[in-house]
Amino acid sequence: MKKLITLIALFASTMSMQAQKFALVDMDYIFKNIPAYERANEQLNQISKKWQAEVEALQIEAQTLYKNYQNEVVFLSQEQKKAKQDAIVSKEKEAADLKKNYFGPEGELFKKRTALMTPIQEEVYNAIKDIAELRGYQLILDRASDTGIIFGSPKVDISNEVLSKLGYSN
């Protein structure tokens, strides 16, 4: 009797596992095939380079002030030394504050990335969700992420279907 119950339980779990459907998507592939995403990425790279140049210019100014201070320190009075040191510290703080403002966790680059990328990511998510509901998938994994997928059959990869649903044919 115990073997029969175990066999029925095993059979029931096997049947429920077979009923579950899953698919894979490659989010890197999808985003690389969406021109708006590529344009947004390029725009973010250009902004980042511009802002990085601004920060580096302030850091160079601080370094120049420091080098000048080192060369002149023996000729300066205590008040002049203090004034130059304050100027150096002020310039370094200005550079650090600007860097934090642009590149910090809640900085301008984060805000710009969110504004540009979120609508595209939501559109892709909604397309994936629609396909999942239409085809009855309970689980869709991203093969581009570090989820530990060792092998994924191309038969269950719906990346091209997602692109088609978004209006980007491949």
Side-chain angles (χ1 to χ4, degrees):
M1 182 71 167
K2 196 173 189 178
K3 285 184 180 181
L4 181 61
I5 293 173
T6 305
L7 186 60
I8 290 172
L10 181 62
F11 180 72
S13 67
T14 304
M15 290 300 288
S16 69
M17 289 175 79
Q18 289 177 351
Q20 293 178 356
K21 290 178 71 177
F22 66 93
L24 298 175
V25 294
D26 187 336
M27 294 301 283
D28 288 344
Y29 171 78
I30 291 170
F31 287 131
K32 284 179 184 170
N33 284 284
I34 297 176
Y37 189 84
E38 290 296 311
R39 283 191 303 272
N41 243 345
E42 182 57 35
Q43 187 177 356
L44 287 170
N45 287 338
Q46 289 173 356
I47 290 170
S48 177
K49 286 178 185 175
K50 177 185 168 217
W51 289 343
Q52 185 63 35
E54 288 179 33
V55 170
E56 287 174 0
L58 285 176
Q59 290 171 335
I60 290 170
E61 283 181 46
Q63 289 172 354
T64 302
L65 287 173
Y66 181 71
K67 286 178 185 176
N68 290 341
Y69 170 76
Q70 285 182 319
N71 291 336
E72 301 169 350
V73 72
V74 293
F75 305 112
L76 300 174
S77 68
Q78 279 306 108
E79 295 86 27
Q80 291 171 324
K81 286 180 185 178
K82 177 77 171 125
K84 296 237 181 210
Q85 290 170 352
D86 289 346
I88 293 166
V89 169
S90 175
K91 192 58 75 173
E92 288 173 342
K93 184 177 179 340
E94 185 182 349
D97 289 346
L98 187 63
K99 185 175 184 176
K100 181 181 176 189
N101 183 45
Y102 285 155
F103 302 108
E106 296 295 322
E108 294 300 315
L109 187 63
F110 174 80
K111 292 174 187 172
K112 190 76 169 167
R113 182 181 314 281
T114 301
L116 291 173
M117 298 299 194
T118 299
I120 299 167
Q121 291 168 336
E122 286 178 359
E123 185 180 15
V124 170
Y125 170 78
N126 289 332
I128 291 170
K129 184 179 165 199
D130 290 347
I131 292 169
E133 290 172 356
L134 178 70
R135 293 172 122 204
Y137 294 126
Q138 285 82 29
L139 177 68
I140 297 183
L141 300 171
D142 179 11
R143 72 170 21 180
S145 69
D146 294 330
T147 57
I149 297 173
I150 296 172
F151 171 77
S153 172
K155 294 176 185 175
V156 296
D157 190 331
I158 62 168
S159 300
N160 285 324
E161 187 174 350
V162 171
L163 285 170
S164 294
K165 181 151 185 66
L166 291 168
Y168 305 102
S169 59
N170 192 13

